[in-house]
Amino acid sequence: MKTILFPGQGAQFKGMGKALFPLYPQLTELASNILGYSIEELCLEDPHNQLRLTQYTQPSLFVVNALGYYRMRDEEGLDANVDFFVGHSLGEYNALLAAGIFDFETGVKLVQKRGALMGAAGGGGMAAVLGVKVDEVRKILMEHQLDAVDLANFNTPTQLVIAGPAKAIEEAERVFSSKDIRCVVLNVSAPFHSRYMIEAQREFSAFLNEFEFNVSKDEAIPVIANSTARPYIAGRVAETLSRQIASSVLWTETIQYLMGQGEMEYVEIGSGILSKMVDEIETTEAPLNLQQERVAETVKQTLASISGEDHGAVDDVAPYPETKALPKQIKVDANSHGAAIEAQSHIRRTSAGTLGSHVFRRRYGVKYAYLAGAMYMGISSQELVIRMAKAGLMGVFGSVGLSLSEVERNILSIQERLNGAEAYGMSLVSGFSNSSFEMDTVNLYLKHKVRNIEASAFLRITPAIALFRLAGLERTPAGKVACRNKIIAKVSRPEIAEFFMEPVPDSMVQKLLEERKITPEQADIAKHVPVSHDICVEADSGGRTDGGIPTVLLPAMLRLRERKEKEHAYDEPICLGLAGGIGTPEAAATAFMMGADFILTGSINQCTVEARISDDVKSLLQDINVQDTDYAPASDMFELGAKVQVLKKGVFFPARANKLYSLYTQYESLGEIPDNVRRQLEERYFKQSFEQVWKDVKSQLREQGKQCDIDRAESHSKYKMALVFKWYFDYSTKLALEGVVKNRVDYQIYTGPSLGAFNQWVKGTALEPWTGRHVDEIGEKMMRDTAAYLNNSFERLARA
């Protein structure tokens, strides 16, 4: 069952609707004529700084929401699949428009009047109370005699908005803050959705009488009202709309009502704000039991008819649509004497938004416990990262292999195109032979306030990793520790994971303190937090791999975490994720069933529109199967014999790379290689002589300021041989990135067999060709199909 969500005031931003106005010029012109100003100019340029004002915000957001819905409807045929429309405050008008209760022109007129009335109201304000539940908020308001304050928005169980006179809100903020409860005064001019809006409600009610609303269609898709958390009742649209202005927004109960209808899929128009709220509600609250509620209502009405008294039946609670009354998964078996119902009623159906750890989702502000991991040389591009972020997900930019200036340009571009609240990460690889570059990269991240990094290939905690973590530590006014800088540490061995589960070593903390890179407060906090709160266990995967088996690695890591958390008693839990081999819902389900708090995908994202690699490579990758990969030496750890997993089908790179490593172990210098072998390498592999390759290598090293490497190679022939051989790896990577088709056999393409499994999963669908694959849509489909797979599995086991 599908629900369309429409956000309300607060989701607006300068530039919204840029891609929509050209698609619907007639509607854009109609809205501008009604409003008396250019809606397109206001949304895109905001020349007079009016978009923040309620009387302008509400019509603008309504129009952009409407056009966003029309585009989704026209392109995807949504109407045939939608079960409910829901909007938050102003968004409820878009829900009613989508359901056909009124037309676009009427909607613009309604929100113009609503915005004007609410914008003209004054004498009060609002504040968000975060981290505590409604009973506690009510208790505190009562204890401190703050009876002038109303509960306006029930956004989530731990995100409430209060409203009232300005002085009362100021006093409430002081009281909550004194109890270490976060209370944020909002930048609004009036106490919306409270008793103080009654006059505006009365005036709007009179205005609504001028309109007629279409409520006669039996097939109309239900719209859930903010003020009742139930579907609109035919004939009471105007009454419910006017009531909304001065009534609380019952968003939490609305979502609980929808949860009670059965397994739901949510699609939010133009934002990710509501999806995050839904995620928390689904994770922490139970669905409304519609059967019990219906029985209770019947009992009330029966008692009233017997005694003639009113026992609390609420006449404006909507009747339940007959087709949606009961969860579909409950079935009756005539021979089971109720056993089947009893068994299935204990099965809590999961959803994409409840898989994994809610702590992880909240920590990064994402709707799913799902990451698109970094791929080097910017293959995990800024386009990939931005698309994930705008979908309420998180991707990591692949900065490894790029210069600092290139990394900086990408950071600035990403930050410019995101609003600051959306999640993204940057990668950091251990600088085995170049620790100064590792530190320079961290300093760049700190300079631009990059908050999330994915750290890989670390064998120990380095000063750079320690600095990034510690520089983000601070205490809140309430004295609690806040870790602003977050590290997702990719590890494949328990002893490395243990380093990240421990606090930064004291000696390293003291050195950073002496160098004045951290503050005394940060040094003091350091012993109370691990290097990383989020550790991703990396099983056999594309790129560098230790060939680990997930069913062996993850359980061992989980037990290690249990010991470390018990030993250190951290305030926040450590989340353990799993990467490697995750290309299908079955693989993702296995990860979550084993206890993974999140999953990270890699190879499957390389074959998407957003990946920064040649189209020729993507065409190769979209056709591979699970057996089409092989292992080859890793360029950055060539001398140590470390392995990477690469594409085998259609290329010679794995065989050629392994031959180079075999020659390196067999001979001490280039001069010892037999002439016939040398000619083969020069003609087929390098396409030039060893001397020309060495000249190119020296030029690159000089540009990088690495004269010491040149001097070492000139005096150590085996080291020189390693540098010459590693040139082939860089050359093969560039060929793949640029798509030099004539040299396709030399492409070096990191990928694991999970992409082969993914290709089989999506065969025959719109995702089969890479041109139809978008990284966020893959994440959405992966998580939703994983939830469906688990639900089907649980039900099958219950019937066994």
Side-chain angles (χ1 to χ4, degrees):
M1 295 169 63
K2 178 176 286 188
T3 298
I4 305 298
L5 309 176
F6 294 95
Q9 197 164 339
Q12 73 276 5
F13 62 92
K14 182 180 176 180
M16 66 179 183
K18 183 177 181 179
L20 298 172
F21 294 121
L23 299 178
Y24 300 96
Q26 293 180 331
L27 292 178
T28 302
E29 183 180 4
L30 174 61
S32 298
N33 290 338
I34 294 170
L35 297 170
Y37 53 82
S38 171
I39 191 70
E40 185 171 6
E41 180 185 51
L42 174 63
C43 292
L44 300 185
E45 301 174 18
D46 193 17
H48 307 297
N49 196 26
Q50 295 173 317
L51 194 57
R52 61 186 176 83
L53 303 176
T54 298
Q55 58 266 45
Y56 292 96
T57 303
Q58 294 196 12
S60 301
L61 195 56
F62 172 82
V63 170
V64 172
N65 278 349
L67 300 187
Y69 170 73
Y70 289 151
R71 181 174 69 173
M72 188 173 291
R73 180 198 64 187
D74 296 343
E75 293 179 358
E76 302 180 20
L78 272 178
D79 281 353
N81 301 313
V82 177
D83 296 280
F84 293 97
F85 290 114
V86 187
H88 188 283
S89 191
L90 170 75
E92 190 167 308
Y93 288 76
N94 287 107
L96 292 166
L97 171 69
I101 303 303
F102 48 70
D103 60 19
F104 180 80
E105 180 178 354
T106 299
V108 174
K109 292 177 180 178
L110 292 179
V111 298
Q112 181 186 33
K113 182 66 172 180
R114 182 182 190 267
L117 289 172
M118 296 178 72
M126 306 177 80
V129 183
L130 308 173
V132 290
K133 293 199 171 186
V134 61
D135 290 344
E136 181 67 14
V137 173
R138 285 194 174 110
K139 179 181 177 183
I140 292 172
L141 293 175
M142 186 179 299
E143 287 177 349
H144 292 269
Q145 299 181 336
L146 290 168
D147 51 3
V149 175
D150 289 352
L151 295 177
N153 291 14
F154 296 79
N155 289 336
T156 77
T158 59
Q159 185 189 123
L160 305 166
V161 177
I162 56 175
K167 288 186 178 179
I169 293 298
E170 290 175 7
E171 177 63 15
E173 192 274 337
R174 185 193 66 77
V175 169
F176 284 115
S177 297
S178 70
K179 296 179 178 293
D180 293 339
I181 297 172
R182 190 178 176 199
C183 183
V184 181
V185 177
L186 304 180
N187 184 24
V188 295
S189 60
F192 304 145
H193 297 294
S194 72
R195 73 187 101 158
Y196 304 101
M197 299 298 293
I198 291 294
E199 188 57 42
Q201 176 181 311
R202 290 195 185 103
E203 189 171 345
F204 191 55
S205 178
F207 178 75
L208 286 168
N209 289 333
E210 301 173 12
F211 298 88
E212 292 185 2
F213 299 103
N214 179 18
V215 294
S216 60
K217 295 190 301 179
D218 293 334
E219 69 274 14
I221 297 170
V223 176
I224 312 302
N226 287 181
S227 58
T228 64
R230 299 295 186 277
Y232 266 73
I233 297 174
R236 302 183 65 174
V237 175
E239 176 186 339
T240 307
L241 273 179
S242 65
R243 176 178 172 181
Q244 189 218 47
I245 290 180
S247 297
S248 301
V249 176
L250 305 179
W251 188 253
T252 297
E253 189 174 342
T254 293
I255 301 306
Q256 288 181 280
Y257 171 82
L258 292 170
M259 289 163 61
Q261 300 294 314
E263 177 67 16
M264 298 298 298
E265 175 186 346
Y266 299 94
V267 176
E268 182 171 357
I269 301 296
S271 177
I273 296 172
L274 300 182
S275 297
K276 293 177 182 178
M277 294 181 187
V278 171
D279 179 25
E280 180 181 343
I281 297 165
E282 283 194 313
T283 302
T284 60
E285 301 302 300
L288 289 180
N289 189 316
L290 302 182
Q291 292 170 288
Q292 291 181 2
E293 189 170 301
R294 207 169 191 183
V295 169
E297 186 67 20
T298 300
V299 170
K300 290 178 184 178
Q301 294 173 358
T302 301
L303 289 173
S305 65
I306 294 173
S307 63
E309 299 176 358
D310 181 2
H311 286 266
V314 182
D315 62 0
D316 60 355
V317 174
Y320 303 105
E322 290 300 322
T323 59
K324 306 178 189 296
L326 301 178
K328 293 181 179 178
Q329 69 268 27
I330 297 181
K331 302 176 182 179
V332 177
D333 182 347
N335 298 318
S336 68
H337 304 290
I341 293 178
E342 182 179 359
Q344 289 191 333
S345 67
H346 285 82
I347 300 173
R348 170 75 183 275
R349 291 180 63 85
T350 191
S351 67
T354 59
L355 293 172
S357 167
H358 71 279
V359 173
F360 179 86
R361 295 193 299 271
R362 291 181 190 174
R363 190 174 283 162
Y364 290 94
V366 292
K367 62 181 179 180
Y368 299 145
Y370 178 96
L371 295 177
M375 293 176 283
Y376 77 134
M377 295 294 291
I379 294 175
S380 290
S381 63
Q382 60 172 277
E383 288 74 20
L384 183 152
V385 167
I386 291 166
R387 184 157 181 133
M388 287 289 284
K390 288 187 177 296
L393 303 170
M394 180 170 160
V396 181
F397 179 82
S399 58
V400 177
L402 302 180
S403 67
L404 286 176
S405 60
E406 289 175 308
V407 174
E408 185 168 33
R409 282 197 299 272
N410 279 280
I411 292 173
L412 293 174
S413 181
I414 290 169
Q415 292 180 342
E416 181 181 358
R417 294 165 65 185
L418 297 181
N419 62 20
E422 296 151 322
Y424 74 94
M426 303 292 293
S427 66
L428 181 72
V429 71
S430 176
F432 296 106
S433 58
N434 194 354
S435 59
S436 61
F437 186 81
E438 181 188 324
M439 182 61 80
D440 290 343
T441 304
V442 164
N443 285 328
L444 179 66
Y445 291 166
L446 294 175
K447 172 185 174 183
H448 292 293
K449 294 183 172 55
V450 171
R451 293 303 188 188
N452 310 314
I453 64 170
E454 177 196 292
S456 59
F458 283 83
L459 300 179
R460 57 185 175 84
I461 304 304
T462 65
I465 276 284
L467 174 60
F468 181 82
R469 179 60 160 175
L470 300 185
L473 298 180
E474 61 182 51
R475 290 193 184 277
T476 67
K480 297 180 179 179
V481 172
C483 303
R484 306 300 183 196
N485 294 348
K486 302 175 182 65
I487 298 170
I488 301 168
K490 292 178 70 177
V491 300
S492 55
R493 291 156 53 184
E495 67 269 25
I496 308 301
E498 188 169 1
F499 290 148
F500 283 96
M501 293 181 186
E502 296 276 358
V504 174
D506 289 340
S507 59
M508 203 170 285
V509 174
Q510 291 307 311
K511 192 171 189 305
L512 291 172
L513 182 60
E514 291 168 5
E515 294 172 349
R516 298 186 178 181
K517 293 182 177 179
I518 61 173
T519 66
E521 181 183 60
Q522 289 167 339
D524 178 64
I525 297 173
K527 54 180 169 286
H528 301 296
V529 298
V531 174
S532 172
H533 272 115
D534 304 290
I535 296 173
C536 185
V537 179
E538 188 172 23
D540 192 35
S541 61
R544 186 187 291 106
T545 177
D546 285 338
I549 301 171
T551 52
V552 173
L553 272 177
L554 185 59
M557 298 287 196
L558 289 168
R559 289 177 175 83
L560 173 64
R561 176 183 65 178
E562 184 179 356
R563 292 196 299 272
K564 287 300 170 183
E565 287 187 329
K566 185 176 181 180
E567 177 183 342
H568 293 285
Y570 297 128
D571 288 341
E572 280 195 50
I574 294 173
C575 289
L576 275 183
L578 185 64
I582 299 177
T584 62
E586 293 85 352
T590 300
F592 288 122
M593 285 299 294
M594 284 196 298
D597 294 311
F598 62 96
I599 58 173
L600 183 148
T601 58
S603 297
I604 64 175
N605 303 315
Q606 186 172 202
C607 194
T608 61
V609 173
E610 292 75 33
R612 182 181 168 270
I613 200 166
S614 66
D615 291 355
D616 191 46
V617 166
K618 296 176 186 178
S619 295
L620 286 173
L621 290 174
Q622 76 179 12
D623 294 326
I624 71 169
N625 210 322
V626 294
Q627 72 277 7
D628 293 327
T629 62
D630 203 351
Y631 297 92
S635 175
D636 57 347
M637 300 178 70
F638 179 80
E639 298 93 322
L640 301 178
K643 296 289 187 180
V644 293
Q645 193 163 194
V646 295
L647 178 66
K648 175 177 65 175
K649 182 182 181 182
V651 298
F652 293 160
F653 174 80
R656 291 181 172 181
N658 281 306
K659 182 168 184 177
L660 289 175
Y661 182 70
S662 176
L663 293 171
Y664 174 77
T665 60
Q666 187 176 356
Y667 299 104
E668 293 301 314
S669 69
L670 293 171
E672 292 184 14
I673 298 175
D675 290 342
N676 64 323
V677 176
R678 177 177 180 137
R679 283 194 301 272
Q680 181 191 42
L681 298 181
E682 290 178 335
E683 293 173 4
R684 298 184 182 179
Y685 292 29
F686 299 108
K687 311 296 189 296
Q688 58 185 322
S689 68
F690 285 169
E691 287 75 19
Q692 289 172 312
V693 173
W694 174 236
K695 183 178 179 181
D696 190 21
V697 170
K698 284 197 298 184
S699 176
Q700 294 175 15
L701 291 173
R702 287 195 184 100
E703 289 178 3
Q704 298 168 8
K706 298 180 180 179
Q707 182 62 41
C708 59
D709 286 339
I710 298 175
D711 295 340
R712 180 186 172 194
E714 298 288 11
S715 59
H716 294 84
S717 58
K718 195 171 183 72
Y719 182 60
K720 180 178 179 179
M721 178 168 56
L723 292 178
V724 169
F725 284 0
K726 287 198 287 187
W727 176 93
Y728 174 72
F729 292 78
D730 294 337
Y731 166 72
S732 299
T733 297
K734 291 175 183 176
L735 292 176
L737 288 171
E738 297 169 8
V740 184
V741 178
K742 65 179 181 179
N743 297 122
R744 180 185 291 157
V745 294
D746 288 303
Y747 284 176
Q748 179 180 200
I749 307 169
Y750 291 173
T751 189
S754 62
L755 179 56
F758 177 89
N759 289 339
Q760 302 311 305
W761 171 41
V762 301
K763 190 172 288 293
T765 73
L767 292 178
E768 182 172 358
W770 71 261
T771 52
R773 300 180 187 182
H774 293 283
V775 65
D776 59 322
E777 294 173 5
I778 286 174
E780 291 273 359
K781 181 172 176 58
M782 179 71 73
M783 295 298 283
R784 288 173 180 167
D785 284 14
T786 298
Y789 173 81
L790 286 170
N791 287 328
N792 291 337
S793 298
F794 295 152
E795 291 177 5
R796 185 173 62 251
L797 290 170
R799 291 193 299 267

